[in-house]
Structures are given as C-alpha cells and as structure tokens.
Amino acid sequence: MSSQPNSPEARDVAYHLHSYTNARLHEANGPLVIERGEGVYVEDGEGKRYIEAMSGLWSVALGWGEERLVEAAARQMRKLPYYHTFTHKSHGPVIELAEKLVGMAPVPMSKAYFTNSGSEANDTVIKMLWYRANALGQPQKKKIISRVKGYHGVTLASASLTGLPNNHRSFDLPIERVLHTMTPHHWREGQPGESEEDFATRCADELDALIEREGADTIAAFIGEPVMGAGGVIVPPATYWEKIQAVLARHDVLLVADEVITGFGRTGNMFGSQTFGIRPDIMTLSKQLTSSYIPMSALLINERVYQPLAEESGAIGTFGHGYTAAGHPVGAAVALENLAIIEERDLVGRVRDLAPLMQSRLRRFAEHPLVGEARGVGLMGAVELVTDKTSKTALEKPGALGAAVFAELQSRGVIGRAIGDAIAFCPPLIISEAQLDTVFDTLASALDAVQKQLGDHAVSAVASPAPGGADAGEVRTDRGA
Ligand SMILES: Cc1ncc(COP(=O)(O)O)c(C=O)c1O
C-alpha cells in the first residue's frame, strides 16, 4: 500500500468499509485502486494493466469503454434523467425494455418487473410468492427451496436463499421458510463409481424426499442458478434439470431460474435456461443486462404468477411494493443499447465460437498436479485446486491455496476470482482468442509458481494476500457475489 497519508489507498482505508472483505486485512494491505478500463483491460493507479478475466463481478459483457452505452446514458440523462413507475406512471425506456425482455424470454412470460440489484430481484421473488400464496388461499404454501452453495444475494431474504456459510454466520440467517437441498456437484458429492446421471437422480430424489417431508402444500418454489456461479462455477450433471423439474411438476412447486450471471449469452445461449432445458415460472436478471455500467435488475413472471398477484392487488387496492429507482430511465436506456449491441454483434454466437477454446484450455489444467477438477460451460469456468488429488483436499487452511494462486495470477496481470480453493474465470464476451490464451498461459505460470513454493515449503508465504488483493488473499471457504 502507498505510504503517502493522502494517497487514495490510505483514504480508502480511512473512510471506506468494503463488501466481502476482511476489514482487518484491508487495514493492513489497502485496496487495489482501479482507475480506468478499456476492452477487457483495467488499469490501476500505477498504470499496471490487468486482463479482467471475471468481467468485474460476472458483469461487464461488453467490456470497458463501450462508447455507445455512454452515449445512450447521456442522451437519456438529457431527455428524462429520472422518473418512477409507482401509481400508474411510466416512461418510454421502461416500456420498451419490458416489451423487449418479455419478447426475449425463452418460455412464455407475462410481465417484467424492475429492481436495482440481483439481491433485490430475488427478495422481490419471495414477496411475490408469498403474496401469491395468500391470493390463492394457500397461506401455508410459502417455503422456498434453494441449494447449498447456491448464490442469490445478500439482503435478508436473498442471503437466506444463498447457501454459503459466510452469508449466514453472525447475521442470524437464514430466515424461516427457506430450505436448502444438496449441491449438484458430481466431482465433489458423487459416490465412487456413480455416473453423472445416477448422481442427478440422487439429487432429484433428495429434493423429492424434502418436499414430501415438509408437505408439498407448504412449498411455494424452488430457486436455482442454471449454473452455480459464486458457489464455484458448478455445472450441473447431465439430466439434472430435467429430473428436478419432473419432481417440481409432480408437487406443483414453481421454478425460479436465477439468471443473474447466466443471462445474456454467458453459457452460449441467450439464457442459461436454454442451455439446460429449464422452463422457469420466474426469471431474475441483472449484471449483463446493462453490462453493469449502471445498476439494474429485473424479474420476468409468467401468467401463473401474474394473475393471482394482479387479483390480490385488486382486492387490497395496490401491490404495495416498489423501489424509487426501479425501472430507472437511464438504466433502461443503457440496457436497451447493451442488448442491441449483444444482438448486432451476435455475441451469443461469439460465446459459442470461443467456448471450445475456453473449455479445452481449462480442461487441460486437470493434468496439473495442483488441479483436482477443471469445469465450465460457455465463457465461464473454474479450476478446483487440491494438493492431494485422491482425497480431493487442499492445504490445511481452506482457501489458502486458492488465495495463493489468485495472488500469483493477479501479480502477473490477470484478475480471476478465488472462491475458496477454486479459481473462477468469466471474461467479457468480447474477449479475443489471443487474450483468452494469455489468461490461461498466465494461470499455468501462476500454478507452477505456487507448486514451486509448496515444493520449497514456503506455505506460509503462499497464504499471504496480494497487494490490494485482500478480496481473495483473505482465506475463507466460500465467497459470494
Ligand atoms: C446468481 C446470482 N444471483 C444474485 C446475485 C446478487 O446480485 P447483487 O450482488 O446485484 O445483489 C448474484 C451476485 O453475484 C448472483 O451471482
């Protein structure tokens, strides 16, 4: 960290409490201050460039410096910088975006509803489901089933859906009426000799047993990310989603697809639901919706959700929910331009073209002595680090190996994400083949460096955080966002 008392680093430590950061480590190490971005690159205050191989937080589909988004925002700022959508008010950009999203949906959807973050979107899902249950005269049908290692955000209800210990510990969460079923991670959870298909059957059987035990008449919905992101890029085993959906249909339980990461091309289709044959009743969207140039999120709901909700609002006199900035005209204008660019440049096709390179380069790391599993789909993936391939274990301190590789990677100019002992990658959809090669060449060199340190028994050095990299330097077993 810069020793100047008035440096940005020192002022950040003095005045700014960070999300997903060990505050004590931050006091010691300070931030990595990013000043600007261009394409897939970001640059820090000292002029060092990094390939942002996580698109920020799985977000910046178009990369940094996309002038058309800047201009769309400026145009809308000049015309109508703010209006709301309460009490029958509306405006052009939100109407156009609602129509666009309903039209893009992979299954028939009825309405779009706007929020400002993924957490708010999923919180709103829960409130809609409870409102609906009351409208249908089923006041007991309110429990939501999520999954261990699922990530759905951090507000009280969304954090409860999230199935990661650090989102619950010391926060007195989860709230009641939220249940968690098993993680569909074949490599980690599969039994010896169990095929992916048999493992998927076991996941569905466990869900079935949970619903039976609780009583189907108490379960409103199941929520899942098509591919788990913040839980470690966990791609579901073959036949998982078809088996899960059969269980939900049998028990009349709605399905919510959290497409906050997988929406808008990431998996090689416009939505992850298409990649995995998911037919959701509700979808939540954010991040790549605006390339995160501006905060915005949305829900798509089908007629089964909309009709009872509309009926109840008629009976009560209002749907008493809404955020001041939701459906913001500038956000909607940026989203529309962002979606237009994704379509014009066929970035979904581009992901399909890049996926073989991305996935084959990732998969090759499975041969590295420090990699237990390499996995992914489309333009997202992860390597799970181990020191013992047979027992699938890493260093004694969970997350230490992930932190070490993350730090080596970042010092070589590539930003990935340490999720416990997994290193995740989710580059902008505009990345080139050569840049992807650089990401994975750099990963190879980071892995070799850490392996050498381990060979030299420099394990304690291994667990120390990268300058400004407290985010991953901090040793923990899981991570969100
Ligand atoms: C799948 C998923 N849902 C919800 C969220 C929460 O979004 P936000 O951080 O905007 O609240 C995230 C964030 O990473 C996410 O990955």
Side-chain angles (χ1 to χ4, degrees):
M1 178 169 61
S2 164
S3 53
Q4 301 296 320
N6 277 328
S7 69
E9 289 83 0
R11 283 162 44 229
D12 186 81
V13 169
Y15 300 114
H16 182 194
L17 174 65
H18 283 252
S19 306
Y20 281 106
T21 297
N22 175 332
R24 290 282 178 244
L25 259 181
H26 192 69
E27 289 166 5
N29 296 329
L32 172 64
V33 180
I34 299 296
E35 292 232 324
R36 55 175 57 82
E38 186 64 45
V40 299
Y41 297 97
V42 292
E43 193 178 302
D44 69 18
E46 274 139 38
K48 177 169 171 169
R49 284 214 316 173
Y50 304 81
I51 296 186
E52 228 307 352
M54 272 302 293
S55 305
L57 291 174
W58 329 79
S59 292
V60 186
L62 300 186
W64 282 261
E66 177 49 65
E67 272 302 313
R68 280 178 59 181
L69 297 190
V70 178
E71 277 160 25
R75 259 197 318 274
Q76 188 57 43
M77 279 267 189
R78 285 191 196 99
K79 187 173 175 193
L80 181 72
Y82 173 70
Y83 214 69
H84 65 88
T85 61
F86 288 22
T87 58
H88 309 281
K89 302 291 191 304
S90 204
H91 53 78
V94 82
I95 296 167
E96 202 177 327
L97 184 59
E99 182 180 23
K100 175 77 186 162
L101 290 174
V102 169
M104 287 174 83
V107 289
M109 286 292 179
S110 176
K111 303 285 180 287
Y113 183 85
F114 292 97
T115 47
N116 305 294
S117 68
S119 301
E120 274 183 15
N122 287 323
D123 236 73
T124 298
V125 165
I126 296 183
K127 288 185 72 179
M128 282 187 182
L129 289 169
W130 289 355
Y131 199 82
R132 173 182 188 266
N134 291 326
L136 293 173
Q138 302 170 330
Q140 75 295 347
K141 199 169 168 67
K142 297 213 178 100
K143 294 178 195 163
I144 323 279
I145 302 179
S146 163
R147 297 173 299 174
V148 175
K149 292 199 181 176
Y151 191 84
H152 302 291
V154 295
T155 50
L156 285 175
S158 294
S160 299
L161 297 176
T162 292
L164 296 165
N166 286 343
N167 295 104
H168 297 165
R169 258 176 75 184
S170 297
F171 288 116
D172 294 356
L173 295 175
I175 57 171
E176 285 174 21
R177 299 175 177 168
V178 173
L179 308 166
H180 291 92
T181 189
M182 66 191 279
T183 313
H185 190 184
H186 180 248
W187 176 76
R188 180 68 75 192
E189 308 284 338
Q191 288 161 357
E194 190 177 36
S195 70
E196 277 196 38
E197 286 79 0
D198 288 348
F199 175 62
T201 303
R202 187 152 64 81
C203 293
D205 287 348
E206 185 183 286
L207 176 65
D208 195 43
L210 177 63
I211 296 174
E212 295 271 355
R213 205 160 55 240
E214 297 285 330
D217 60 340
T218 72
I219 311 288
F222 175 90
I223 183 166
E225 306 147 83
V227 183
M228 283 181 169
V233 190
I234 297 167
V235 183
T239 70
Y240 173 80
W241 277 110
E242 97 194 32
K243 288 170 181 165
I244 292 291
Q245 289 180 99
V247 171
L248 300 178
R250 195 157 60 245
H251 292 296
D252 190 26
V253 169
L254 297 184
L255 174 55
V256 184
D258 182 338
E259 294 256 13
V260 164
I261 285 179
T262 49
F264 310 108
R266 180 56 61 189
T267 65
N269 284 292
M270 192 56 86
F271 297 100
S273 289
Q274 292 157 306
T275 304
F276 295 98
I278 303 170
R279 297 172 305 282
D281 297 288
I282 303 178
M283 296 168 73
T284 48
L285 308 168
S286 189
K287 296 193 189 260
Q288 298 201 134
L289 171 61
T290 59
S291 281
S292 289
Y293 276 42
I294 199 157
M296 179 168 243
S297 60
L299 288 76
L300 295 177
I301 59 174
N302 68 10
E303 282 283 295
R304 290 181 74 194
V305 179
Y306 171 68
Q307 287 303 340
L309 191 152
E311 205 53 32
E312 189 72 355
S313 78
I316 294 174
T318 185
F319 177 56
H321 182 75
Y323 303 93
T324 299
H328 197 286
V330 180
V334 171
L336 284 163
E337 191 70 4
N338 179 66
L339 297 179
I341 295 172
I342 288 177
E343 288 177 347
E344 273 169 42
R345 296 186 192 156
D346 187 20
L347 289 181
V348 180
R350 177 75 185 141
V351 172
R352 267 189 229 147
D353 290 345
L354 283 173
L357 174 64
M358 167 96 182
Q359 298 303 329
S360 67
R361 290 245 25 199
L362 262 175
R363 296 291 193 284
R364 261 188 267 155
F365 285 104
E367 288 155 28
H368 194 281
L370 287 183
V371 175
E373 187 192 35
R375 54 184 183 250
V377 58
L379 219 48
M380 63 193 294
V383 288
E384 181 91 29
L385 307 172
V386 293
T387 44
D388 182 341
K389 291 201 183 216
T390 315
S391 65
K392 301 179 182 173
T393 51
L395 296 173
E396 200 181 329
K397 200 168 182 181
L401 192 54
V405 173
F406 169 86
E408 290 295 335
L409 197 60
Q410 185 166 292
S411 72
R412 287 166 170 75
V414 170
I415 299 180
R417 189 165 184 83
I419 302 173
D421 285 310
I423 305 289
F425 298 93
C426 184
L429 308 188
I430 54 145
I431 196 166
S432 70
E433 283 84 352
Q435 289 162 339
L436 259 187
D437 275 328
T438 303
V439 168
F440 293 119
D441 291 348
T442 311
L443 175 62
S445 118
L447 284 168
D448 290 346
V450 172
Q451 199 197 350
K452 184 163 181 308
Q453 290 165 32
L454 288 171
D456 296 343
H457 304 293
V459 180
S460 59
V462 151
S464 70
D471 178 46
E474 176 194 9
V475 173
R476 39 195 299 173
T477 53
D478 58 71
R479 178 160 315 282

